[in-house]
Amino acid sequence: MKQRLLKKSGSTVSYYEWGNSANPSILCLHGLAGNGWYSFTELANQLKDHFHLVALDCPGHGGSSPLGNEKDYLFSNLAKWLDVAVREILPHSFVMMGHSWGADVALHYAKHFIKWTDSFCLTVRLRFQGTSRK
């Protein structure tokens, strides 16, 4: 695993890479309370021999700079932020994996920038109210 920092317009995007960049790339987006390393290290260690994985720290998480305004955190604006970062980090198409809040960001990215993605994997932890496991 290598941690990398992308400096762009006075802010920092932190991300983590596993595997060989010649392999198919998977871009990983974490949930609201996570970061790229914490959310994807275990999975990346399982997949790194066959894929190139990139796990971003979304704005204000891990080593990435926060955005300037509350409006910047609208999903449509996060998709634009992501596109700027992705074009610097991945020069080719990729599979996008989003967990929880990251899945929402991935869906909005797809709405605006679908041509860069090969496919999507969206994951959510489901909790059912009022059910018991007996």
Side-chain angles (χ1 to χ4, degrees):
M1 185 275 299
K2 296 176 193 160
Q3 182 179 15
R4 301 193 186 277
L5 300 174
L6 171 65
K7 304 282 188 176
K8 195 83 173 162
S9 302
S11 64
T12 300
V13 177
S14 171
Y15 63 99
Y16 308 86
E17 284 189 281
W18 295 263
N20 185 332
S21 62
N23 289 335
S25 293
I26 302 173
L27 177 68
C28 305
L29 301 176
H30 62 79
L32 186 59
N35 65 44
W37 181 85
Y38 177 79
S39 297
F40 294 104
T41 295
E42 188 175 339
L43 177 65
N45 284 329
Q46 297 292 319
L47 299 177
K48 68 184 179 185
D49 292 337
H50 304 285
F51 295 95
H52 170 235
L53 292 99
V54 174
L56 292 179
D57 285 339
C58 289
H61 296 264
S64 290
S65 303
L67 300 175
N69 301 302
E70 187 176 334
K71 279 178 131 178
D72 295 336
Y73 286 92
L74 294 172
F75 285 118
S76 57
N77 292 331
L78 286 168
K80 292 173 190 169
W81 171 89
L82 180 59
D83 186 57
V84 170
V86 165
R87 290 183 194 239
E88 292 283 331
I89 297 167
L90 292 170
H92 48 74
S93 64
F94 53 89
V95 172
M96 182 173 282
M97 178 185 300
H99 169 70
S100 190
W101 181 73
D104 280 334
V105 176
L107 286 172
H108 283 79
Y109 183 85
K111 179 180 177 184
H112 300 285
F113 307 103
I114 191 71
K115 66 183 177 184
W116 298 107
T117 56
D118 292 328
S119 61
F120 289 85
C121 175
L122 308 175
T123 64
V124 180
R125 180 175 172 228
L126 299 176
R127 224 183 279 179
F128 296 97
Q129 297 280 335
T131 61
S132 63
R133 296 182 175 198
K134 293 183 181 181

